[in-house]
Amino acid sequence: MSILEVKDLTIMFGGLKAVDQFEITIHENELVGLIGPNGAGKTTIFNLLTGVYKPTNGSILVNGSVTKMMKPNEIVMLGSSRTFQNIRLFKNMTVLDNIRVAYHNRMTYNYFDGVVKNKKYRDEEAAATEVAVSLLEVFGMKGYQNDLAKNLPYGKQRKLEIARALATNPKLLLLDEPAAGMNPQETEELMHTIRFIKDQFKVSILLIEHDMKLVMGICERIVVVDYGKIIASGAPEAIRKNPAVIKAYLGE
């Protein structure tokens, strides 16, 4: 079953065609890499997939539902969540609350329930805390749960952002350059974490990354874009040897 199906995806900014007839299908529990040189349109594709931008042409289906007229929060409800190239945490909130806040899409209590703090409110808030604590345990960060997010080391901020995305219970996780700014040891740990997430949470992953060791090491399939168009798609070994990819991105 396909979790994501994209056909003929195009967006124009004035006279600039930033994404040109992009197509991809991602199946259950699949890990796919999206690579290309800076300015190739990768993050723009993510913004289209998550409803930040509306496409000029083309269609996007998440779990079989057309997302063209949906808001980003409605797309999250379909089972799609993301991280950002530049970390976007609630820096003055605790690590625990950064994850708890992402659980809101599963909560059903209303304003009155929150004011009187009835059983429904207490049960759902307790469930949010339980999920947040369990995710911190997965990432080895339970000891940081009461720290402010801004005080975390850079690598742990990256992990927290991924944990927060997982709190929405996604079927598709979009990771935008998760290894950016990490040292080699942190990148190695991240590779193991991404593999674990895929297997433990049974989630499909679409990954933007410039670290070729990471991409080639964990991705089952890679799609390469340049100037908004797909120039290659296939297994890592085939991509590594593809002349068009070597010329555009990997270096002659």
Side-chain angles (χ1 to χ4, degrees):
M1 177 180 175
S2 62
I3 299 299
L4 176 69
E5 189 173 350
V6 179
K7 293 183 178 179
D8 195 30
L9 189 64
T10 301
I11 187 169
M12 300 282 294
F13 295 114
L16 174 66
K17 190 175 286 188
V19 176
D20 188 3
Q21 296 181 312
F22 178 82
E23 297 194 352
I24 193 170
T25 299
I26 298 179
H27 299 96
E28 288 182 347
N29 206 218
E30 190 176 18
L31 204 168
V32 181
L34 178 63
I35 69 171
N38 287 327
K42 303 182 299 295
T43 296
T44 301
I45 290 169
F46 266 31
N47 286 337
L48 288 163
L49 299 182
T50 54
V52 177
Y53 297 155
K54 300 303 178 187
T56 305
N57 290 304
S59 64
I60 303 167
L61 277 75
V62 175
N63 271 333
S65 296
V66 178
T67 66
K68 188 171 184 178
M69 302 305 293
M70 289 186 177
K71 298 176 182 177
N73 63 298
E74 294 171 329
I75 296 173
V76 170
M77 296 292 285
L78 294 178
S80 175
S81 190
R82 73 174 290 182
T83 65
F84 294 87
Q85 185 175 350
N86 299 313
I87 296 173
R88 297 187 186 181
L89 296 173
F90 299 106
K91 294 186 181 294
N92 291 311
M93 290 170 58
T94 66
V95 168
L96 186 69
D97 283 342
N98 261 272
I99 301 178
R100 277 170 39 86
V101 77
Y103 191 82
H104 76 279
N105 67 317
R106 299 197 230 175
M107 292 181 169
T108 60
Y109 69 75
N110 58 31
Y111 177 79
F112 176 77
D113 298 326
V115 169
V116 300
K117 294 181 170 51
N118 57 20
K119 186 177 185 301
K120 183 176 184 180
Y121 167 86
R122 295 195 304 272
D123 288 349
E124 292 191 3
E125 287 292 330
T129 299
E130 183 179 348
V131 167
V133 170
S134 67
L135 284 169
L136 287 175
E137 287 177 343
V138 166
F139 285 86
M141 293 177 58
K142 189 177 178 182
Y144 296 88
Q145 67 181 46
N146 295 319
D147 293 1
L148 295 181
K150 67 182 179 182
N151 294 332
L152 289 179
Y154 184 85
K156 286 185 168 52
Q157 288 191 23
R158 281 284 180 194
K159 287 185 176 181
L160 177 58
E161 193 177 35
I162 296 173
R164 184 178 63 183
L166 288 170
T168 66
N169 195 29
K171 297 297 182 185
L172 173 67
L173 181 61
L174 309 175
L175 302 178
D176 193 349
E177 296 194 34
M182 288 188 173
N183 61 43
Q185 181 181 344
E186 289 171 332
T187 300
E188 187 70 27
E189 290 176 3
L190 180 66
M191 288 177 67
H192 294 298
T193 300
I194 292 172
R195 287 194 193 101
F196 177 81
I197 289 168
K198 175 180 174 291
D199 296 334
Q200 179 74 14
F201 294 92
K202 307 301 180 187
V203 62
S204 302
I205 297 173
L206 179 60
L207 168 78
I208 294 176
E209 188 52 66
H210 285 294
D211 189 314
M212 288 298 102
K213 180 181 177 183
L214 187 151
V215 172
M216 297 292 176
I218 64 173
C219 291
E220 300 157 359
R221 179 162 55 94
I222 298 173
V223 178
V224 189
V225 293
D226 193 20
Y227 295 105
K229 291 182 70 71
I230 294 176
I231 61 171
S233 179
E237 196 55 39
I239 294 299
R240 192 194 306 272
K241 298 175 182 178
N242 187 297
V245 177
I246 293 170
K247 182 179 178 181
Y249 187 51
L250 299 179
E252 296 282 1

